[in-house]
Amino acid sequence: ESACEVLTQDGNVLVVYPVDLEGRLLAAATAVGLRPVRIQYAIDRPGGDRKLVLYDFSLRDGDLEELPDIAIETGQGKFGLDGYG
């Protein structure tokens, strides 16, 4: 609700959330009038499991743009999301 109070019609709010709680996030956002406009998942390694989801919400209507999954490189060719999700 707080995001909706300060968000302009042209504004967006981005939320990173654990993928296993994605349904809860969508329910809460849509209940206050936010609509998803972009989604992207973070995976724990190339070809790995989805751990986090990034949602871009807006007050305006529009088609949902699904971006490709991303793997987070932690350095020197290593990937991980330790401590997340």
Side-chain angles (χ1 to χ4, degrees):
E1 288 181 40
S2 296
C4 286
E5 294 171 8
V6 297
L7 195 62
T8 66
Q9 190 64 31
D10 293 329
N12 291 52
V13 61
L14 286 89
V15 180
V16 177
Y17 223 67
V19 75
D20 58 330
L21 299 175
E22 182 178 3
R24 180 182 287 179
L25 172 64
L26 278 174
T30 56
V32 296
L34 292 172
R35 295 170 184 84
V37 292
R38 267 187 296 283
I39 182 174
Q40 187 169 36
Y41 293 94
I43 52 180
D44 56 0
R45 65 190 177 287
D49 296 326
R50 290 174 166 175
K51 299 291 184 180
L52 298 173
V53 61
L54 168 67
Y55 269 98
D56 182 352
F57 290 104
S58 177
L59 294 172
R60 62 188 179 280
D61 287 326
D63 293 331
L64 178 63
E65 179 183 4
E66 296 184 40
L67 301 173
D69 292 355
I70 57 169
I72 307 299
E73 185 173 359
T74 59
Q76 300 172 350
K78 296 182 181 184
F79 295 85
L81 291 171
D82 295 337
Y84 301 98

